[in-house]
Amino acid sequence: PRHVIRLKSLLASSRWSMFGSYTLLFLLAPLLPYIFRDRLSFDPGPATAMVALIDLTRFVTFAVMQRYIGWHGKRSVLLWTIALMPVGFLMTLLGSDLATVLIGEVLFGIAAGLTYYAALYYAMVVQNAAVEAGGAHEGFIGSGFVVGPAIGLAGIFLGGSAIDTPSTLALTTAPFLVICAAGALWALRNAREGDHFHFPD
């Protein structure tokens, strides 16, 4: 049936983006304290609170998605995720002033929250809440734990410290960003926004 094909497309797209988000998160997480300390000259106390903005934004996004179900089945939500994630990541990584870094954290946190919640929701719907659905979900997260630091190591190998030369790390990350965005977009080819049918709440 058309709605099953569309659900599977939405699931595949959200998983591509979720894999990307966790890869970028675990690439960015060890760098954030240095970004705030060395680049923006903040003491550890306020820096800790500002580093946590990504997680706070993700939490708020989860809460909104739980309360508002109008996003169910909407391809546009995943398209926004594909657009916001690299923008937020690069703003956070390369930002030279506080406003840019904080806005980047918020954009990245929103994208990461959207794709995590959407991937879990669509997995539960497509696979009827089977245990395997949750296991696959966690598998994509675990893959990000590995790939993120690997990209960071590649950046160090090619250009030295990621703190001193963040532009090199951005270039190292660019192929990964393109692959994830292309995969997520390709998966949406069978999820036309014009199709209307009821999704489970």
Side-chain angles (χ1 to χ4, degrees), residues 142-160:
S143 298
F145 290 6
V146 176
V147 178
I151 292 175
L153 290 173
I156 292 172
F157 177 77
L158 294 174

Side-chain angles (χ1 to χ4, degrees), residues 20-166:
S21 75
Y22 272 90
T23 297
L24 297 176
L25 181 61
F26 280 87
L27 175 58
L28 195 59
L31 300 178
L32 279 171
Y34 297 98
I35 290 172
F36 280 100
R37 187 191 70 182
D38 299 344
R39 190 187 306 165
L40 302 178
S41 302
F42 279 94
D43 292 329
T48 300
M50 289 183 283
V51 166
L53 186 58
I54 288 179
D55 288 324
L56 176 61
T57 307
R58 289 176 73 237
F59 174 79
V60 172
T61 303
F62 293 159
V64 171
M65 294 182 79
Q66 181 183 23
R67 295 281 183 177
Y68 173 69
I69 63 172
W71 62 271
H72 290 181
K74 295 292 181 63
R75 184 177 68 164
S76 56
V77 172
L78 298 182
L79 290 173
W80 274 108
T81 298
I82 294 166
L84 290 178
M85 190 179 303
V87 171
F89 170 77
L90 293 172
M91 287 179 69
T92 306
L93 177 66
L94 302 175
S96 58
D97 59 84
L98 180 61
T100 301
V101 173
L102 292 182
I103 292 171
E105 283 195 87
V106 169
L107 294 179
F108 184 80
I110 291 172
L114 286 173
T115 190
Y116 176 93
Y117 204 100
L120 185 58
Y121 170 79
Y122 291 127
M124 293 294 104
V125 173
V126 169
Q127 297 179 300
N128 295 317
V131 173
E132 290 81 1
H137 185 80
E138 294 300 320
F140 283 100
I141 294 173
S143 298
F145 290 6
V146 176
V147 178
I151 292 175
L153 290 173
I156 292 172
F157 177 77
L158 294 174
S161 169
I163 299 302
D164 298 332
T165 57

Side-chain angles (χ1 to χ4, degrees), residues 182-197:
L185 287 170
W186 177 253
L188 287 176
R189 69 192 185 281
N190 292 319
R192 295 193 302 273
E193 199 73 75
D195 294 339
H196 295 291
F197 49 88

